[in-house]
Amino acid sequence: MGSKVTTMREAVAELVRDGDTVAIEGFTHLICFAAGHEIIRQRRRDLTLARMTPDVIYDQMIGAGVARKLIFSWLGNPGVGSLHAVRRRIEDHDPEPLEIEEYSHFGMVCRYVAGASNLPFFPIRSYYESDIPNVNPNIRTMVSPYEDATEVAVVPPLRPDVTVVACQRATQDGDAQIWGLLGCQKEAAFAAERVIVVCEEVVEGSVVRRDPNRTIIPGVVVDAVVEQPFSCHPSFAQGYYDRDNAFYLKWDQIAREPETFEAWLKEWVYDLETHADYLEKMGADHWESLKPEPAMSGEVDYGRYA
Amino acid sequence: MGSKVTTMREAVAELVRDGDTVAIEGFTHLICFAAGHEIIRQRRRDLTLARMTPDVIYDQMIGAGVARKLIFSWLGNPGVGSLHAVRRRIEDHDPEPLEIEEYSHFGMVCRYVAGASNLPFFPIRSYYESDIPNVNPNIRTMVSPYEDATEVAVVPPLRPDVTVVACQRATQDGDAQIWGLLGCQKEAAFAAERVIVVCEEVVEGSVVRRDPNRTIIPGVVVDAVVEQPFSCHPSFAQGYYDRDNAFYLKWDQIAREPETFEAWLKEWVYDLETHADYLEKMGADHWESLKPEPAMSGEVDYGRYA
Amino acid sequence: MSVAADLGYSKNEIMIAASARGLAGAKNCFVGVGLPNIVCNLAQRTVAPDLQLVYESGVFGARPERLPLSIGDPTLVSGSTAVTSMFELFAYYLQAGLIDVAFLGGAQIDRFGNLNTTVIGDYAKPKVRLPGSGGACEIAIHARQILVIMRQAPRSFVEKLHFRTSPGHSGDPEHDRARGWWGSGPTSVVTDLGTYGFDEATGEMTLLTLHPGVTLDQVRESMGWDPRVSPDLGQTPAPTQDELRLIRDELDPDGTYTK
Amino acid sequence: MSVAADLGYSKNEIMIAASARGLAGAKNCFVGVGLPNIVCNLAQRTVAPDLQLVYESGVFGARPERLPLSIGDPTLVSGSTAVTSMFELFAYYLQAGLIDVAFLGGAQIDRFGNLNTTVIGDYAKPKVRLPGSGGACEIAIHARQILVIMRQAPRSFVEKLHFRTSPGHSGDPEHDRARGWWGSGPTSVVTDLGTYGFDEATGEMTLLTLHPGVTLDQVRESMGWDPRVSPDLGQTPAPTQDELRLIRDELDPDGTYTK
């Protein structure tokens, strides 16, 4: 197989199309901001954005006008507060309305699992006596065909056109390894029509083959591999860099007013050509300051069976 | 928390009761023969044995009379042939009939997943035009409540009273780490009322804490931890010892006749007090011969965030 | 200004201390950030030494080397005993009934402990769009016990929710939680003014204790319905010196959450 | 005695060579042990260099350092690119339609490629209890293409199965595989006497080629129904010297599966 390694610009240009349903997943960990910025930069439109926890990157994308709809389960700037740009669109239709389809966390996870498993529905014990199903007709109920006749809620499969998954390392074939929080990266990738893997480093196949249990997403479902250090800033990559909490706090101020929001987008996205420019602009010291001391995993022995 | 470390004898005496549904799982890898032998030795009766792939250990247990029923998806001596003791009971009711409840592999896996998830049923796209549902009324059909109205099969949850899981290493609290083939060990453990973890080595918590993503079963669901090297022989433990293929071939001969079967049980189970006796009887050279050369995983960096 | 200012501790500090005591004997606890995180860590060091912190992000047995800034802080992962996917966390742990106790809060709560974290105003075009459920809906249904920590005010303790995100008690004993739910629903509410339980029969929030210096009138003025009051209404024990030391020196030295 | 003995290769060797050619261009292949394992490895070295071996045990990109003795051989794990749980293997790969081709066999096959791996005789008290489905039922439904390798005999190529473990074609074009299955069902059968395809319209097994030295009468004598024969019945190309060298020197030096 030929290498799948490409640039973020090419990956987005080739694989993300106007009107697509796009999932940039990651539960606080490995949220690929660089992909979101490139999608803004290429001015994609009418996207349906899916994500369990829309946070700052979706505030940026939705405020920038790439999306007409949002599918989610928790909306906010984690540990800080609101997403002001998203709220302007929902509360004030400013500059235009945003269609929303909301679930609970488990509902979103199970939509990805159903999508990844080619199941027409997925049963969960949730939404009892909640108003959520009243505002989301996709949440339905079924009764167990067994003696208990238990009533459960069901959610439909979610099959993104494109899922973007960030990971610590991947091969040129797209075999991706992740450690630390896993979120629903694997499920979202398997559920998708097209998958972009963005890694801190592209490694030799031999590195992955030494520890196959660490592989979360196999190359077989991956279309493009982008090597992009710090692609998740201000989110984090376990063992590579820390969450830039100061930025999350700062974003709360930036996003409060459309003017400051637009100014930030111009300075940090539109006026830059690539994420490399973003890294350079923020300065080497900043990146150094986010690097943790090492905490090594130790090795296990798979044994050589020859 | 106090340590959960105990002996196989105590673990089986305390946690495995006549009439229980017992799952000793492991897909070719980490099949805990030592637990099966102890259950035979303690002469448990009327067990319902569950397992995706009943193999030699279940041939031994079922031939020894511990079980009245078998729930499974594939019955055989992998790579060798039949399970003669099981076949005598099914084909000739010799010495007594064996009740069976059979599924496909995916059906069994999903029964464990439903049990682990507290779901009343689990949907799968299987059994279409197969005779299996005709002989197993637990396999039913449901129709998707969404527009596609797809018909799927459903299986009920499987909740063993006891699941025995072998692993390479565990802490005294039962946090178990596995690498290599995972089978459905995790699902079977979470689905069970009581869980016995049998490990090649009990390790310090610090070993597990250095690589938390390697933990397959958390201590919270574990009742007993048994440290028992080579507990899976003639099956294998990745990195610790190889499959003893010669034994699987030999078993085909041993199990053909009730006499040779009984003689083997007497010599290798009833006349021995513990698995340690079994190891000693088989001889140190044999165990040496099964050990692979090392093939180390390499380390990853989790980072220290202080 | 803080009603408890003159008592040598803050409103948050007595909320934390009172909530921590509610965890006595608990084992597997679903933890959020902020106050609940401090509460759990205080309980671990006082009334609940066996408390296992389970983070919604999928981390077990965390040993954070710093105060986590979010439930997904990398410091929770390094040195923990296990990390799991979100699917397994919600399916094998929460839905399977392994979580003994969890914390919930919200913009609005009603007398039966139903919570709104979705919208203020009309759903279609809300006055305030709130975060939504997150895991709250499943937590409210499956966690064996639910502890609510909220400051009380007429706009948050309301007669009628604008949206019911996660179910409390229905108020109908026949129907209430009668569908194989693991959870028994909200079991206590700790506010800046007092502590509440829920009536067995009616599932209604019932004032159990007033914090030192707080009057029943203050409580009544701070909520949208006339609260049920326990016949043997008591006073919340003030935070002990030991509790305050742990909170101030160990758990929140910068006073991020406790000022 | 082997009909092909005088031709310089064994029955298994021509079955292997003919089956391997059937994998030309295939990508993700579900592999079992024994013959299929040799077939896949031969195809990888000849007509299908991009063939990805996916083992039912949950291993991807295996690079075995020895001939695996079972689909769960530890040599398949060490040096592979990924290991997955059985749930994910069946749900995310097979049921999701990622498997292009798989091998099946059985004790009995009928003219529509339905297979029996469950019982000979009555289910309740069988004459011979066979292994059962394993993954066969799901593989038959979801793998895009199914290759069957079986020696043929009247007792195995039967008019009526004793039990239908995994579905082939129904024989009814209206109904056949009309429920969102990924798989197109059995696409070829390779026996020790010849190779078969399946008729588009009727789904019936159709003799395409006879192995060198095999007559149509021999084929008819070895099956329980009168087989459909292709109008342009041809001869199976004999294994090439290169194929035989690979099989004998590299893939099965001990002749475990090929004698």
Side-chain angles (χ1 to χ4, degrees):
Chain A
M1 283 171 299
S3 166
K4 296 172 182 172
V5 177
T6 179
T7 63
M8 185 69 82
R9 179 182 294 167
E10 286 163 353
V12 169
E14 274 181 34
L15 300 171
V16 183
R17 300 152 197 173
D18 288 351
D20 275 356
T21 295
V22 177
I24 300 177
E25 269 299 342
F27 194 84
T28 78
H29 183 213
L30 294 171
I31 304 167
C32 193
F33 277 70
H37 292 168
E38 185 58 30
I39 289 169
I40 293 171
R41 204 176 280 122
Q42 294 190 21
R43 300 180 189 277
R44 286 287 171 284
R45 289 295 179 264
D46 301 315
L47 301 180
T48 293
L49 293 178
R51 183 170 158 72
M52 288 177 70
T53 55
D55 66 349
V56 170
I57 184 58
Y58 274 25
D59 205 35
Q60 294 171 353
M61 294 172 77
I62 287 166
V66 305
R68 61 164 194 80
K69 182 177 178 183
L70 176 63
I71 303 172
F72 72 103
S73 50
W74 190 88
L75 188 66
N77 182 338
V80 178
S82 293
L83 298 180
H84 301 292
V86 172
R87 281 185 59 187
R88 276 193 290 276
R89 287 191 57 178
I90 296 175
E91 296 167 8
D92 312 325
H93 297 183
D94 165 19
E96 54 183 343
L98 178 70
E99 188 184 340
I100 62 172
E101 180 181 332
E102 77 182 290
Y103 297 84
S104 56
H105 275 350
F106 194 35
M108 275 297 281
V109 172
C110 291
R111 287 203 64 191
Y112 285 125
V113 173
S117 308
N118 180 33
L119 282 173
F121 62 87
F122 201 92
I124 67 178
R125 291 184 187 254
S126 187
Y127 303 116
Y128 301 131
E129 294 170 17
S130 167
D131 287 334
I132 300 172
N134 303 339
V135 297
N136 183 347
N138 280 340
I139 299 169
R140 305 190 182 171
T141 60
M142 287 178 97
V143 174
S144 166
Y146 298 103
E147 293 49 41
D148 56 286
T150 305
E151 181 183 300
V152 295
V154 295
V155 292
L158 177 54
R159 299 197 182 90
D161 295 297
V162 187
T163 288
V164 177
V165 176
C167 65
Q168 283 102 334
R169 65 189 187 193
T171 65
Q172 62 168 23
D173 298 330
D175 297 305
Q177 299 196 320
I178 295 178
W179 52 99
L181 301 177
L182 302 173
C184 57
Q185 304 273 41
K186 171 181 271 185
E187 295 76 10
F190 274 96
E193 185 60 37
R194 307 184 285 276
V195 176
I196 300 173
V197 161
V198 183
C199 58
E200 289 297 313
E201 359 176 25
V202 169
V203 294
E204 289 301 315
S206 58
V207 173
V208 162
R209 289 178 181 278
R210 285 171 70 186
D211 197 357
N213 283 95
R214 193 92 63 193
T215 304
I216 299 296
I217 297 162
V220 56
V221 297
V222 175
D223 298 279
V225 176
V226 176
E227 182 175 49
Q228 181 55 73
F230 297 102
S231 73
C232 301
H233 175 269
S235 160
F236 68 100
Q238 191 80 38
Y240 285 74
Y241 48 96
D242 198 352
R243 184 176 193 253
D244 185 353
N245 202 59
F247 184 92
Y248 280 89
L249 292 165
K250 208 169 83 196
W251 182 254
D252 188 64
Q253 296 310 313
I254 295 167
R256 264 177 206 282
E257 301 305 328
E259 298 66 28
T260 48
F261 177 94
E262 288 303 334
W264 187 90
L265 268 194
K266 181 173 188 312
E267 179 178 3
W268 291 94
V269 181
Y270 292 121
D271 287 357
L272 303 179
E273 298 217 327
T274 66
H275 195 66
D277 298 344
Y278 176 95
L279 300 187
E280 190 186 340
K281 186 174 163 69
M282 208 155 287
D285 297 355
H286 185 66
W287 304 116
E288 263 318 305
S289 73
L290 291 174
K291 285 189 180 157
E293 293 299 308
M296 305 308 288
S297 65
E299 294 194 273
V300 300
D301 185 357
Y302 278 85
R304 192 178 165 200
Y305 296 87
Chain B
M1 286 171 297
S3 166
K4 296 172 182 171
V5 176
T6 180
T7 62
M8 185 68 82
R9 179 182 294 167
E10 286 163 352
V12 168
E14 273 180 33
L15 299 172
V16 183
R17 299 151 199 172
D18 289 352
D20 275 355
T21 295
V22 177
I24 300 177
E25 268 301 341
F27 194 85
T28 77
H29 183 212
L30 294 171
I31 304 166
C32 194
F33 277 70
H37 292 168
E38 185 58 31
I39 289 169
I40 293 171
R41 204 177 279 125
Q42 293 191 24
R43 299 182 188 277
R44 287 288 172 284
R45 288 295 178 266
D46 301 317
L47 300 181
T48 293
L49 293 178
R51 186 171 154 71
M52 288 177 70
T53 54
D55 65 349
V56 170
I57 184 55
Y58 274 26
D59 205 36
Q60 294 172 352
M61 293 172 78
I62 286 166
V66 305
R68 61 165 194 77
K69 181 178 179 182
L70 177 63
I71 302 172
F72 72 102
S73 50
W74 190 89
L75 187 67
N77 181 339
V80 179
S82 294
L83 299 180
H84 300 293
V86 172
R87 282 185 58 185
R88 276 192 291 275
R89 286 192 58 178
I90 296 176
E91 296 168 6
D92 312 326
H93 297 183
D94 167 19
E96 53 183 344
L98 178 71
E99 189 184 338
I100 61 171
E101 179 181 333
E102 77 183 290
Y103 297 84
S104 57
H105 274 351
F106 194 37
M108 274 296 280
V109 172
C110 291
R111 290 204 63 192
Y112 285 125
V113 172
S117 309
N118 180 34
L119 282 174
F121 62 86
F122 201 92
I124 67 178
R125 291 185 188 251
S126 187
Y127 303 117
Y128 301 130
E129 295 170 15
S130 166
D131 287 335
I132 299 172
N134 303 340
V135 297
N136 183 347
N138 281 339
I139 299 169
R140 305 194 180 167
T141 59
M142 288 180 95
V143 174
S144 167
Y146 297 102
E147 293 49 42
D148 56 286
T150 305
E151 181 182 299
V152 295
V154 295
V155 292
L158 178 53
R159 298 194 182 92
D161 295 297
V162 186
T163 288
V164 178
V165 176
C167 65
Q168 282 102 335
R169 66 190 187 192
T171 65
Q172 62 168 21
D173 299 329
D175 296 305
Q177 299 196 320
I178 295 177
W179 52 98
L181 301 177
L182 302 173
C184 57
Q185 304 274 39
K186 171 181 268 183
E187 295 76 9
F190 274 95
E193 186 60 37
R194 306 184 286 277
V195 175
I196 300 173
V197 161
V198 182
C199 57
E200 288 298 312
E201 354 175 30
V202 169
V203 295
E204 289 302 316
S206 58
V207 173
V208 163
R209 288 179 181 278
R210 286 172 69 187
D211 197 357
N213 282 95
R214 194 93 61 194
T215 304
I216 299 296
I217 297 162
V220 55
V221 297
V222 175
D223 298 279
V225 176
V226 176
E227 182 177 48
Q228 181 55 73
F230 297 102
S231 73
C232 301
H233 175 269
S235 160
F236 68 100
Q238 191 80 38
Y240 285 74
Y241 47 95
D242 198 352
R243 183 174 193 255
D244 185 353
N245 202 59
F247 185 92
Y248 281 89
L249 292 165
K250 208 170 84 197
W251 183 254
D252 187 66
Q253 296 310 312
I254 294 167
R256 262 175 208 283
E257 300 305 327
E259 299 66 29
T260 47
F261 177 93
E262 289 303 334
W264 186 89
L265 268 193
K266 182 175 188 310
E267 179 178 2
W268 291 94
V269 181
Y270 292 120
D271 286 358
L272 302 179
E273 298 215 327
T274 67
H275 195 65
D277 298 346
Y278 176 95
L279 299 187
E280 190 186 340
K281 185 175 163 69
M282 208 155 288
D285 297 354
H286 186 66
W287 303 116
E288 264 316 307
S289 73
L290 292 174
K291 287 189 181 158
E293 292 299 308
M296 305 309 287
S297 65
E299 294 194 273
V300 299
D301 185 356
Y302 278 84
R304 196 180 159 197
Y305 296 87
Chain C
M1 77 107 186
S2 157
V3 295
D6 53 343
L7 300 169
Y9 52 82
S10 72
K11 285 181 170 187
N12 279 2
E13 284 171 338
I14 190 168
M15 286 172 81
I16 291 164
S19 303
R21 295 179 203 132
L23 289 174
K27 208 162 165 326
N28 299 321
C29 177
F30 219 63
V31 193
V33 277
L35 280 190
N37 187 44
I38 312 261
V39 169
C40 293
N41 282 282
L42 179 60
Q44 240 179 355
R45 289 164 171 74
T46 53
V47 296
D50 289 351
L51 198 67
Q52 290 279 318
L53 304 191
V54 180
Y55 286 85
E56 192 179 29
S57 50
V59 182
F60 306 91
R63 287 199 182 156
E65 288 199 82
R66 69 185 184 201
L67 190 69
L69 293 165
S70 89
I71 52 172
D73 194 306
T75 195
L76 295 170
V77 170
S78 300
S80 66
T81 55
V83 174
T84 189
S85 72
M86 299 299 285
F87 175 73
E88 288 167 1
L89 177 78
F90 279 96
Y92 299 173
Y93 293 83
L94 186 59
Q95 187 166 268
L98 291 179
I99 303 300
D100 299 319
V101 54
F103 293 87
L104 289 177
Q108 295 181 327
I109 187 169
D110 70 14
R111 70 174 67 204
F112 297 114
N114 294 288
L115 287 160
N116 172 16
T117 56
T118 302
V119 289
I120 299 299
D122 171 47
Y123 183 80
K125 196 162 183 305
K127 190 162 158 304
V128 182
R129 173 64 221 201
L130 302 163
S133 166
C137 187
E138 285 91 27
I139 291 167
I141 289 167
H142 297 292
R144 307 268 175 169
Q145 246 193 312
I146 301 290
L147 308 185
V148 177
I149 307 181
M150 278 172 73
R151 289 192 170 219
Q152 66 180 85
R155 69 169 192 298
S156 54
F157 279 57
V158 297
E159 182 63 42
K160 187 167 184 348
L161 301 175
H162 294 180
F163 191 96
R164 176 154 68 167
T165 312
S166 33
H169 304 281
S170 69
D172 169 3
E174 289 313 300
H175 163 75
D176 197 25
R177 298 184 166 266
R179 281 176 297 193
W181 305 13
W182 289 118
S184 53
T187 46
S188 90
V189 177
V190 174
T191 76
D192 50 326
L193 299 181
T195 70
Y196 303 77
F198 287 84
D199 182 68
E200 283 292 328
T202 65
E204 185 176 345
M205 200 186 298
T206 307
L207 182 67
L208 299 180
T209 69
L210 293 167
H211 295 339
V214 176
T215 69
L216 193 49
D217 285 344
Q218 284 178 307
V219 170
R220 291 209 169 95
E221 290 157 13
S222 326
M223 54 203 296
W225 71 89
D226 188 31
R228 210 169 187 285
V229 179
S230 165
D232 37 12
L233 176 67
Q235 187 180 74
T236 317
T240 65
Q241 286 315 308
D242 186 44
E243 287 167 337
L244 290 173
R245 185 187 53 72
L246 286 164
I247 294 170
R248 295 170 183 175
D249 302 353
E250 290 185 27
L251 302 176
D252 187 22
D254 309 338
T256 316
Y257 300 106
T258 51
K259 283 228 183 65
Chain D
M1 78 110 187
S2 156
V3 293
D6 53 344
L7 300 171
Y9 51 84
S10 72
K11 286 182 172 187
N12 279 2
E13 284 170 338
I14 190 168
M15 286 171 79
I16 291 166
S19 303
R21 294 178 204 134
L23 289 175
K27 207 162 167 326
N28 300 320
C29 177
F30 219 62
V31 194
V33 278
L35 280 192
N37 187 43
I38 313 260
V39 169
C40 293
N41 282 282
L42 179 60
Q44 241 179 353
R45 290 165 171 72
T46 53
V47 295
D50 287 351
L51 198 67
Q52 289 280 316
L53 304 190
V54 179
Y55 286 86
E56 191 178 30
S57 51
V59 182
F60 305 91
R63 288 199 181 155
E65 288 199 82
R66 69 185 183 200
L67 190 68
L69 293 163
S70 90
I71 52 172
D73 193 306
T75 195
L76 294 171
V77 170
S78 300
S80 67
T81 54
V83 175
T84 190
S85 72
M86 299 300 284
F87 175 73
E88 289 168 359
L89 176 78
F90 279 98
Y92 298 172
Y93 293 83
L94 187 59
Q95 187 167 268
L98 291 180
I99 303 301
D100 300 318
V101 54
F103 293 87
L104 288 177
Q108 296 181 326
I109 187 169
D110 70 14
R111 70 174 68 204
F112 297 115
N114 294 288
L115 287 161
N116 172 17
T117 56
T118 302
V119 289
I120 299 299
D122 172 47
Y123 183 82
K125 197 164 182 305
K127 189 163 160 302
V128 182
R129 174 65 223 200
L130 303 163
S133 166
C137 187
E138 285 90 27
I139 291 168
I141 289 167
H142 296 294
R144 306 269 175 167
Q145 244 193 311
I146 300 291
L147 308 186
V148 177
I149 307 181
M150 278 172 73
R151 291 194 169 217
Q152 65 180 84
R155 74 172 185 297
S156 52
F157 280 57
V158 298
E159 181 65 41
K160 189 171 183 345
L161 302 176
H162 294 179
F163 191 97
R164 177 155 68 168
T165 311
S166 31
H169 304 281
S170 68
D172 168 3
E174 289 312 303
H175 162 77
D176 194 28
R177 298 185 166 265
R179 282 176 298 194
W181 305 15
W182 288 118
S184 53
T187 44
S188 89
V189 176
V190 173
T191 76
D192 50 328
L193 300 181
T195 70
Y196 302 77
F198 287 84
D199 181 68
E200 281 295 327
T202 64
E204 186 176 345
M205 200 186 298
T206 307
L207 183 65
L208 299 180
T209 68
L210 293 167
H211 295 340
V214 177
T215 68
L216 192 51
D217 286 345
Q218 283 178 308
V219 170
R220 290 207 170 95
E221 290 158 13
S222 326
M223 56 203 297
W225 71 90
D226 188 30
R228 210 167 188 288
V229 178
S230 165
D232 37 14
L233 176 66
Q235 187 180 75
T236 318
T240 65
Q241 284 316 308
D242 186 45
E243 287 167 337
L244 290 173
R245 184 186 54 71
L246 285 164
I247 293 170
R248 294 170 184 176
D249 302 352
E250 289 183 29
L251 302 175
D252 189 21
D254 309 339
T256 317
Y257 300 105
T258 49
K259 281 228 182 61

